[in-house]
Amino acid sequence: MSDAVHDGCVLRNPCSRRTSPGTGSQRPYVATTAQVLRLAEAAALRPDDVDFMRGIVSPTIQWPGDPLKSETSRTPVPIPHELARTAVAVGDRTSLVTNELGQQAGPWAIERAVRAPRDGVTG
């Protein structure tokens, strides 16, 4: 590339650290272990627990309707905007996470659904 700049084929070397475009200033967000939802919290999620515009989940109860175990469980958890857009389509359901019959899914059903593709099991 330096030769191409020297010969006038390109104006500047995009591979050079001095002339390459800067990287974006936005850093990727990675949820901490404390911010990840537990299965019991995910199973009890209701549409009112999600700020669909900002993509934030704020659990209020855990499966099967019990109070949360700790203040850490009340920590808002960011979710991808694609997931928030998908969740907004639930309509008037009372639970966000349902089984194939449209009933609220328990933690074991969620775990089974997550493990099946990982283990190569189809169902």
Side-chain angles (χ1 to χ4, degrees):
M1 288 304 292
S2 296
D3 289 340
V5 172
H6 182 268
D7 294 340
C9 296
V10 293
L11 295 176
R12 62 183 184 163
N13 181 349
C15 302
S16 168
R17 289 187 180 181
R18 289 183 315 137
T19 61
S20 63
T23 58
S25 61
Q26 183 179 6
R27 297 180 63 195
Y29 180 85
V30 179
T32 65
T33 303
Q35 293 174 313
V36 177
L37 286 176
R38 296 178 313 117
L39 284 175
E41 294 161 358
L45 281 179
R46 300 171 295 187
D48 290 345
D49 297 336
V50 182
D51 181 340
F52 297 103
M53 296 299 291
R54 293 185 359 199
I56 303 287
V57 173
S58 300
T60 55
I61 59 171
Q62 67 178 353
W63 173 265
D66 297 334
L68 296 173
K69 288 187 176 181
S70 68
E71 279 304 312
T72 304
S73 296
R74 295 182 193 340
T75 303
V77 178
I79 59 172
H81 288 288
E82 297 81 22
L83 180 58
R85 282 194 298 270
T86 301
V88 79
V90 299
D92 60 353
R93 290 194 310 196
T94 57
S95 179
L96 283 180
V97 183
T98 59
N99 61 19
E100 56 276 353
L101 301 175
Q103 300 165 335
Q104 184 177 17
W108 59 89
I110 297 170
E111 185 172 358
R112 190 171 51 243
V114 170
R115 284 181 189 246
R118 184 185 67 198
D119 296 338
V121 177
T122 59

